[in-house]
Amino acid sequence: MLELAEDGSAKVPAAFIQAVKGRAEVMASIQQANPTLAAAIRNEDITAMQQELRFLRKQQLEHQAQLQREQDLLEADPFDPETQRRIEELIQQKNIEENFMAVSKQCLCLTGIVECDGGI
């Protein structure tokens, strides 16, 4: 099992690189989604890989914070038409993110990159 630290970096970078490089379908997915990360892995550039993983985690946290701020704002007056429109957008975005995360986790589980619970 490959673990990520709280900051998003790989806890054992060399093992992470080797595991990902050993899975052509995972490398292809990473290449398509994040060419910078794929290049760092392909070149075994631990510093660049860790930097990109941290950056991705930072983006994720910032996005979650933005969603929370928006949720807090929307809860102020749920009957306002503008608020209702923003609530609908928020729900749609959340559904997209949940689907993306589920597919990403399933892909990693199926390829054996990470250990998964019985849910997938």
Side-chain angles (χ1 to χ4, degrees):
M1 181 172 103
L2 299 176
E3 294 183 47
L4 297 179
E6 192 169 315
D7 69 353
S9 62
K11 285 189 176 181
V12 184
F16 185 92
I17 288 172
Q18 293 310 311
V20 173
K21 283 178 73 174
R23 309 275 191 198
E25 66 281 0
V26 174
M27 275 301 296
S29 294
I30 294 171
Q31 177 62 44
Q32 186 174 25
N34 189 326
T36 302
L37 179 59
I41 292 169
R42 196 172 35 259
N43 296 328
E44 298 187 12
D45 184 341
I46 290 173
T47 302
M49 180 193 73
Q50 294 286 66
Q51 182 178 0
E52 187 64 20
L53 289 172
R54 284 185 191 103
F55 175 74
L56 292 171
R57 178 65 176 150
K58 181 180 175 192
Q59 281 186 318
Q60 180 187 30
L61 292 173
E62 288 172 355
H63 184 69
Q64 288 172 348
Q66 174 62 29
L67 289 176
Q68 185 59 50
R69 286 189 298 273
E70 201 166 318
Q71 182 65 32
D72 293 343
L73 174 69
L74 297 177
E75 288 175 356
D77 183 7
F79 299 107
D80 176 59
E82 178 64 18
T83 299
Q84 290 178 359
R85 182 189 65 75
R86 293 176 69 192
I87 289 171
E88 181 181 2
E89 289 175 2
L90 183 65
I91 291 169
Q92 290 174 349
Q93 183 60 38
K94 185 176 181 193
N95 289 340
I96 290 168
E97 286 180 16
E98 288 175 354
N99 289 339
F100 176 76
M101 293 304 291
V103 168
S104 296
K105 182 176 180 184
Q106 184 176 19
C107 184
L108 291 174
C109 290
L110 291 174
T111 58
I113 295 297
V114 297
E115 184 177 308
C116 299
D117 58 15
I120 293 182

